[in-house]
Amino acid sequence: MRLLERLTAAGKHVAMMLYLSHVAELQTDAARTALARLASTGAVLRAQAPVVRHVNDDPRTWADLWQAQVRNRVVPYYMFVERDTGARPYFGLPLARAVDIYREALQRVSGLGRTARGPVMSASPGKVVVDGVVDLDGGRAFALRFLQARRPDLVGKPFFAKYDEHAQWWDDLRPHGPRDREFFGVGGTA
């Protein structure tokens, strides 16, 4: 704690990434005291977590979590998509459901809680956010964007994947049209 205080007093930007998956983690006096002590050092506290079936796969849970984070001086940062760690059949959920959870949770919080990006996949070509499901001439599609990418020229550009109600991860997605192939490394250099 003294090191954090010295760094911030010296004008250094110190940020800590916390992993908070459920509002229950912030409901004890010990947790709130620890967060207050960390925040008192001047460090910026941010939080991220995956959306996990049977744990936090409900918009109300995320809204309550983000509101509790803001009350405790923690900036909501990312809602991640559950990686395939072997337990995906039990804990994973479709991207379309993750999008719905994220959007419905955002509707329940103030602007201070709307800082979380999501749902986000940290996949091999980069960090991809699923902005939503859209209807295009070629059918339904996931609207996507790279927040970070191995190819920096692709960052921030919207692209589309064919809608698949069962897709849970980047590897399950396919380009929606010829223009989108570049983002998937098909006919491009990604």
Side-chain angles (χ1 to χ4, degrees):
M1 299 302 280
R2 286 188 296 276
L3 174 61
L4 296 176
E5 289 168 343
R6 282 197 310 270
L7 289 170
T8 59
K12 304 291 184 192
H13 177 80
V14 178
M16 299 184 75
M17 185 58 66
L18 310 176
Y19 291 83
L20 301 168
S21 300
H22 197 281
V23 69
E25 296 172 280
L26 300 175
Q27 292 178 336
T28 66
D29 289 337
R32 289 189 296 270
T33 300
L35 290 173
R37 181 65 181 105
L38 282 171
S40 75
T41 68
V44 175
L45 307 178
R46 296 183 185 274
Q48 61 187 21
V51 59
V52 181
R53 190 163 51 116
H54 307 297
V55 176
N56 61 11
D57 60 335
D58 176 76
R60 171 67 67 195
T61 300
W62 280 93
D64 291 348
L65 174 62
W66 291 336
Q67 289 170 329
Q69 288 172 355
V70 169
R71 280 193 306 275
N72 286 282
R73 296 168 38 185
V74 177
V75 179
Y77 195 52
Y78 282 123
M79 172 198 273
F80 279 111
V81 173
E82 176 75 12
R83 289 178 184 247
D84 187 4
T85 58
R88 188 189 292 169
Y90 184 78
F91 290 114
L93 64 155
L95 293 173
R97 179 65 186 135
V99 167
D100 289 343
I101 292 167
Y102 175 78
R103 289 182 108 92
E104 290 176 39
L106 277 185
Q107 294 168 13
R108 298 170 186 252
V109 298
S110 73
L112 297 175
R114 291 182 181 176
T115 54
R117 296 176 182 177
V120 175
M121 296 176 278
S122 287
S124 56
K127 196 169 282 185
V128 182
V129 65
V130 184
D131 284 326
V133 176
V134 296
D135 290 312
L136 302 174
D137 287 342
R140 294 189 90 192
F142 288 109
L144 308 167
R145 211 170 18 98
F146 279 111
L147 299 174
Q148 297 174 15
R150 293 188 187 273
R151 284 190 42 201
D153 62 307
L154 298 180
V155 171
K157 292 181 179 178
F159 64 103
F160 303 95
K162 292 179 182 177
Y163 180 81
D164 177 347
E165 68 182 28
H166 303 291
Q168 292 187 19
W169 188 250
W170 173 258
D171 296 340
D172 299 331
L173 300 177
R174 300 293 169 257
H176 184 265
R179 176 203 161 286
D180 303 307
R181 290 182 183 158
E182 172 182 26
F183 295 88
F184 289 86
V186 180
T189 59

